[in-house]
């Protein structure tokens, strides 16, 4: 499969030669008319790929995941998963759709009144009729995959940030989802934990045959593990391409992001009056 | 003129906001009832909440019941002895507790101890995206988190109120019979003659049940509707205690008018 090279400020989604699993077609969303989060966004995620959606804080990345989960509905445009519009799903279809999803929340969202084991077992107990012995084995297998089999009896409050993220990762893949969504999985992690989580996301995607969407602003780690990257700014896709194309890009937005420059197309200052006016 | 217009706009917004919230609470209550099947199909969920709301409230309820019964006996004796009716202390203590103090005080304590805890727990689950995580896992948080806590409260409070009254009556016995020296037979005999099973005890239980539904609904609703921030959860917890207390007192007045207006039945 060949993903197209970097395309800057292109409103249209890229032509990807692989079967499309997730597609956002000209999607807009805003909590109010005055506060638009997404403005006509186009995005394609091919089956089996690990795609990153990147951009600064508040640019609308997490909103894309929430649209995919059906937690919110697009004000215009289509959010398609396997060709089916998420907005048009009824209650049963939505729950069936969500059972095919796994989502890792930014801060893990582990159930604090349950142990690590119970957290991973939760979706299995809720959605399957499996006997406890099988669930026990499956949970330990999932925990083993993230290297935390020995932490099964701990409570989330006893885990470090990196361990909690790995437990959340194990819960995300508990039911072998078709699509895995990761919301800022690297936020607040030390370099070792960050690398471990990054490698796990890649390995699990390939081993379980999943399709993954990774929302992050960690460019260095993303470039190591993803297949394709979309850059979002002010609710729009401003650039996209595969890893090599992104690295080689001369687009000012991409360069500012990749090189971590404080000022550029993404301004350092929040919009404000002229300095002289404020100090007058 | 502008000031009056702004004031009216604010007033209108607060009225319509209040009505909208009431509508949301009503729909929320209907959703709890509709999704309660999981709670009763999986008794361990319900038992956990009965433990959290009921068993963990035992100390405060039992101690309060005991002391209120003792104070009631002391105060009651002061008044009764003036009319030469000190032997009626058992009746006074029992009727006061079973009809009024038992259901009302235990409900107020329950709202402060368990209601606030339920609101804070659900509010924090919302703040830390645990409810959102459940939704994304295709598990309805109203069925899995809210309904068990609601029914846990509804079951616990009438039992706690019964224990409160029982300990209160025993506290009255300790002070009246053991300390002051009223005849034990008179204490229990007057009580059993005066307290009617249906008119007093059943009405007291109905009161507790109504208070339990009100407190549990307020607690789960405030938690679910809390603004997902630290101060949002704090405000929701405060609202639970204040709204529950006002609801208990208002409902108590209405129920007392309905139940006891016509005299002993």
């Amino acid at each position: 499969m060949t993903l197209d090279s970097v395309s800057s400020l292109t409103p249209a989604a890229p032509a990807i030669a692989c079967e499309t699993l997730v597609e956002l077609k000209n999607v807009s969303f805003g909590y109010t008319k005055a506060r638009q989060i997404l403005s006509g966004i186009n995005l394609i995620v091919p089956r089996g790929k690990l795609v990153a959606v990147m951009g600064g804080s508040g640019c609308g990345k997490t909103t894309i995941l929430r649209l995919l989960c059906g937690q919110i509905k697009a004000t215009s445009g289509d959010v398609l998963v396997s060709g089916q519009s998420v907005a048009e799903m009824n209650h049963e279809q939505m729950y069936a759709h969500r059972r095919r999803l796994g989502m890792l929340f930014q801060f893990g969202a582990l159930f604090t009144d349950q142990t690590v084991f119970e957290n991973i077992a939760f979706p299995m107990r809720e959605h399957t009729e499996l006997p406890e012995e099988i669930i026990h084995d499956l949970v330990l297998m999932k925990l083993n995959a993230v290297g935390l089999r020995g932490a099964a009896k701990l409570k989330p409050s006893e885990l470090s940030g990196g361990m909690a993220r790995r437990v959340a990762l194990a819960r995300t893949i508990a039911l072998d989802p078709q699509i895995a969504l990761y919301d800022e999985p690297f936020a607040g992690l030390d370099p070792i934990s960050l690398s471990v989580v990054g490698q796990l996301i890649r390995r699990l995607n390939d081993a379980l045959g999943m399709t993954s969407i990774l929302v992050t602003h960690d460019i260095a780690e993303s470039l190591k593990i993803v297949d394709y990257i979309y850059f979002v700014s002010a609710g729009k896709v401003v650039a996209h391409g595969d890893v090599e194309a992104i690295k080689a890009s001369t687009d000012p937005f991409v360069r500012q992001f990749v090189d971590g420059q404080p000022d550029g197309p993404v301004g350092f200052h929040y919009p404000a009056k002229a300095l002289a006016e404020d100090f007058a | 003129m502008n000031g009056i217009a702004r004031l009216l706009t604010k007033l209108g917004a607060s009225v319509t906001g209040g009505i909208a919230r009431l509508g949301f609470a009503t729909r929320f209550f209907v959703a709890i009832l509709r999704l309660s099947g999981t709670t009763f199909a999986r008794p361990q969920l319900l038992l956990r909440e009965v433990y959290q709301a009921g068993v963990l409230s035992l100390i405060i309820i039992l101690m309060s019941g005991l002391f209120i019964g003792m104070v009631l006996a002391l105060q009651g004796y002061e008044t009764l002895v003036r009319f030469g009716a000190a032997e009626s202390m058992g009746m006074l203590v029992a009727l006061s507790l079973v009809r009024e103090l038992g259901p009302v005080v235990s409900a107020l304590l329950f709202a402060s101890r368990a209601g606030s805890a339920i609101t804070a727990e659900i509010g924090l689950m919302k703040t830390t995206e645990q409810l959102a995580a459940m939704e994304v896992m295709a598990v309805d948080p109203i069925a899995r988190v809210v309904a068990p806590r609601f029914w846990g409260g509804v079951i616990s409070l009438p039992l706690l109120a019964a224990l409160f009254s029982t300990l209160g009556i025993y506290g009255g016995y300790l002070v009246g019979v053991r300390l002051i020296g009223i005849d034990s037979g008179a204490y229990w005999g007057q009580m059993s003659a005066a307290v009617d099973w249906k008119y007093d005890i059943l009405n007291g239980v109905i009161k507790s049940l109504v208070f339990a539904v009100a407190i549990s609904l307020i607690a789960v609703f405030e938690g679910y509707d809390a603004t997902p921030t630290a101060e949002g959860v704090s405000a929701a917890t405060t609202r639970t205690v204040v709204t529950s207390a006002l609801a208990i007192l208002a409902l108590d007045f209405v129920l007392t008018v309905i139940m006891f207006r016509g005299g002993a039945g």
Side-chain angles (χ1 to χ4, degrees):
Chain A
M1 186 198 88
T2 309
L3 295 169
D4 63 348
S5 59
V6 68
S7 316
S8 301
L9 304 166
T10 314
I16 295 178
C18 198
E19 184 196 348
T20 299
L21 186 62
V22 175
E23 185 172 8
L24 270 66
K25 275 187 180 172
N26 205 25
V27 170
S28 296
F29 175 81
Y31 290 101
T32 60
K33 278 185 183 170
R35 190 173 159 235
Q36 282 294 306
I37 310 289
L38 300 176
S39 311
I41 209 161
N42 290 284
L43 187 147
I44 280 175
V45 180
R47 189 180 293 276
K49 296 295 168 188
L50 173 49
V51 172
V53 178
M54 309 195 74
S57 301
C59 73
K61 305 185 298 289
T62 300
T63 304
I64 292 173
L65 297 188
R66 297 186 67 197
L67 284 165
L68 284 169
C69 297
Q71 284 184 299
I72 50 175
K73 283 186 180 175
T75 40
S76 68
D78 256 339
V79 178
L80 303 169
V81 177
S82 300
Q84 194 182 8
S85 169
V86 175
E88 287 169 15
M89 291 175 183
N90 61 28
H91 188 262
E92 283 72 31
Q93 287 171 328
M94 180 61 74
Y95 270 54
H97 162 64
R98 287 177 177 172
R99 279 196 286 272
R100 292 195 298 268
L101 290 179
M103 179 154 172
L104 186 146
F105 284 77
Q106 186 169 358
F107 298 106
L110 295 174
F111 304 130
T112 44
D113 59 335
Q114 300 179 9
T115 63
V116 165
F117 181 94
E118 287 164 341
N119 264 281
I120 317 294
F122 183 86
M124 298 176 189
R125 287 175 176 152
E126 293 293 325
H127 292 308
T128 70
E129 300 289 325
L130 292 170
E132 271 304 306
E133 305 83 66
I134 306 273
I135 288 178
H136 173 267
D137 293 352
L138 284 173
V139 170
L140 291 187
M141 281 164 62
K142 301 291 177 189
L143 281 173
N144 200 46
V146 297
L148 289 175
R149 186 164 40 83
K153 289 180 183 168
L154 299 181
K155 283 283 188 91
S157 57
E158 298 172 279
L159 303 174
S160 69
M163 287 165 79
R165 211 62 60 84
R166 280 149 72 189
V167 173
L169 185 53
R171 191 178 66 180
T172 302
I173 56 155
L175 291 177
D176 297 339
Q178 192 180 11
I179 303 167
L181 308 174
Y182 301 101
D183 188 7
E184 302 282 9
F186 309 127
L189 296 185
D190 63 75
I192 299 169
S193 301
L194 193 147
S195 178
V196 167
V197 170
Q199 289 308 313
L200 278 170
I201 288 172
R202 175 79 252 180
R203 283 199 345 241
L204 290 169
N205 185 77
D206 297 343
L208 300 174
M210 297 189 302
T211 302
S212 304
I213 301 174
L214 173 68
V215 157
T216 180
H217 46 237
D218 192 305
I219 186 77
E221 191 58 33
S222 302
L223 288 174
K224 288 184 208 162
I225 60 169
V226 303
D227 297 308
Y228 201 83
I229 299 174
Y230 284 91
F231 282 98
V232 177
S233 178
K236 289 189 166 94
V237 171
V238 292
H240 54 87
D242 61 21
V243 172
E244 292 312 314
I246 292 296
K247 282 179 180 169
S249 173
T250 54
D251 177 80
F253 181 88
V254 175
R255 288 273 40 104
Q256 184 188 2
F257 218 88
V258 172
D259 301 334
Q261 295 158 357
D263 217 343
V266 180
F268 171 70
H269 287 286
Y270 190 79
K273 289 185 282 188
L275 195 64
E277 279 182 59
D278 261 344
F279 285 96
Chain B
M1 191 62 193
N2 267 348
I4 294 171
R6 267 201 302 274
L7 189 72
L8 286 174
T9 308
K10 265 189 183 174
L11 190 69
S14 100
V15 170
T16 52
I19 292 169
R21 201 153 185 268
L22 197 63
F24 178 41
T26 308
R27 284 172 51 216
F28 185 73
F29 184 42
V30 172
I32 292 173
L33 298 180
R34 191 167 50 81
L35 296 167
S36 290
T38 313
T39 306
F40 296 104
R42 293 160 72 175
Q44 77 275 14
L45 286 180
L46 188 59
L47 285 175
R48 179 191 178 276
E49 300 313 325
V50 170
Y51 175 80
Q52 294 284 342
V55 177
L56 296 183
S57 302
L58 270 175
I59 291 291
I60 189 170
I61 293 285
L62 295 181
M63 292 310 289
S64 303
L66 187 70
F67 283 112
I68 284 176
M70 292 198 291
V71 170
L72 201 56
L74 279 173
Q75 294 283 13
Y77 179 76
E78 284 290 311
T79 309
L80 290 171
V81 82
R82 289 182 206 172
F83 302 100
E87 306 296 309
S88 302
M89 185 189 283
M91 178 178 76
L92 173 82
V93 170
L95 287 181
S96 307
L97 283 165
V98 171
R99 281 183 177 189
E100 204 59 46
L101 289 174
V104 173
V105 177
S106 58
L108 290 171
L109 292 171
F110 184 79
S112 315
R113 218 290 316 170
S116 58
I118 290 170
T119 301
E121 189 183 15
I122 296 177
L124 278 171
M125 288 181 82
K126 184 179 180 184
T127 307
T128 53
E129 294 187 307
Q130 294 178 49
L131 299 184
M134 259 183 215
E135 266 184 6
V136 173
M137 279 186 240
V139 175
D140 195 323
I142 293 182
R144 186 61 175 70
V145 172
V146 173
R149 282 161 178 77
F150 172 79
W151 287 111
V154 171
I155 291 169
S156 299
L157 180 53
L159 298 173
L160 290 171
L163 289 170
F164 181 96
S165 296
T166 308
L167 260 285
I169 289 168
Y170 182 66
Y173 168 81
L174 287 180
V175 168
V177 177
R178 293 295 177 90
L179 186 71
I180 298 173
I182 292 170
D183 180 62
S184 172
Y187 184 85
W188 296 115
Q190 289 265 5
M191 188 187 300
S192 62
V195 177
D196 182 72
W197 169 253
K198 189 178 161 202
Y199 189 68
D200 298 312
I201 295 178
L202 189 62
N203 277 339
V205 171
I206 291 170
K207 269 189 178 183
S208 292
L209 206 57
V210 172
F211 297 157
V213 171
I215 297 166
S216 303
L217 180 61
I218 290 167
V220 292
F221 175 72
E222 289 293 355
Y224 197 80
D225 193 43
T227 307
T229 60
E231 59 189 359
V233 175
S234 157
T237 310
T238 308
R239 273 200 306 274
T240 290
V241 177
V242 174
T243 316
S244 295
L246 293 176
I248 291 161
L249 297 173
L251 283 169
D252 182 49
F253 174 71
V254 173
L255 290 170
T256 305
V257 167
I258 295 167
M259 291 170 170
F260 300 110
R261 193 176 48 175

